[in-house]
């Protein structure tokens, strides 16, 4: 993915990448956040979309959730993970950032790097005002 983004950037073609919050579960959330932020920094994409993990019963991961081998993040933990990821994104050109998919607990939109502090402030506010978060029943796809 990184090499493809570099080739697109060199050719003057806009690149769009999508990542999934919560994919590291409770055990790996910090590593997932840091490495995702670092990867975005290396890619220097034009657009980043962020979704939040939702697992359907037919997915192999569902069995791990049911057995307790994989623990999903709570809505608040997803916000903490997202903030950690944003802190690790270092971009040298403008990048549209969106986290407004139906799966997301909180809608975020901005352009990085200039809106990073605004996005982090919104995440912090939502952590203290959880009524801002989307109810689980509205995350159904």
């Amino acid at each position: 993915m990184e090499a493809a983004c570099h080739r697109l950037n060199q050719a003057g073609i806009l690149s769009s990448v999508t990542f999934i919050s919560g994919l590291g579960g409770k055990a790996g959330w910090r590593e997932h956040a840091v490495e995702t932020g670092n990867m975005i920094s290396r890619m220097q994409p034009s657009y980043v979309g962020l979704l939040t993990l939702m697992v359907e019963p037919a997915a192999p991961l569902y069995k791990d959730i049911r057995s307790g081998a994989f623990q999903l993040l709570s809505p608040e933990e997803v916000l903490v993970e997202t903030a950690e990821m944003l802190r690790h994104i270092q971009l040298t050109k403008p990048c549209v950032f969106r986290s407004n998919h139906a799966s997301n607990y909180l809608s975020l939109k901005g352009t990085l790097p200039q809106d990073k502090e605004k996005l982090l402030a919104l995440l912090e506010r939502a952590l203290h005002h959880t009524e801002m978060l989307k109810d689980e029943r509205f995350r159904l796809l």
Side-chain angles (χ1 to χ4, degrees):
M1 284 178 54
E2 289 180 37
C5 265
H6 288 279
R7 286 193 296 272
L8 290 169
N9 290 339
Q10 290 170 350
I13 299 171
L14 301 177
S15 57
S16 176
V17 295
T18 303
F19 293 91
I20 302 174
S21 294
L23 208 51
K26 287 189 187 278
W29 76 266
R30 185 177 304 277
E31 179 182 9
H32 182 255
V34 169
E35 292 305 320
T36 299
N38 290 340
M39 183 178 196
I40 292 168
S41 299
R42 291 188 303 269
M43 295 169 95
Q44 296 289 312
S46 307
Y47 179 94
V48 171
L50 186 64
L51 290 73
T52 301
L53 181 64
M54 296 180 75
V55 182
E56 297 293 325
L61 183 59
Y62 189 78
K63 291 177 190 155
D64 290 339
I65 293 167
R66 301 247 325 147
S67 74
F70 184 90
Q71 295 178 319
L72 293 170
L73 299 181
S74 70
E76 294 83 5
E77 290 168 330
V78 169
L79 298 185
V80 171
E81 181 191 51
T82 302
E84 187 71 12
M85 179 202 66
L86 281 168
R87 285 187 201 95
H88 283 85
I89 297 175
Q90 303 297 322
L91 298 170
T92 59
K93 64 177 190 136
C95 172
V96 172
F97 178 85
R98 296 290 184 268
S99 180
N100 56 0
H101 185 263
S103 65
N104 298 116
Y105 291 104
L106 181 69
S107 183
L108 299 171
K109 61 181 181 176
T111 301
L112 299 174
Q114 61 262 38
D115 292 332
K116 183 191 280 193
E117 293 308 316
K118 177 185 88 169
L119 295 170
L120 288 169
L122 180 57
L123 287 162
E124 185 67 27
R125 188 172 47 162
L127 279 168
H128 291 95
H129 299 280
T130 56
E131 69 275 5
M132 294 172 61
L133 303 181
K134 188 185 300 177
D135 188 282
E136 197 69 42
R137 64 188 165 181
F138 297 120
R139 295 181 64 234
L140 298 176
L141 301 177

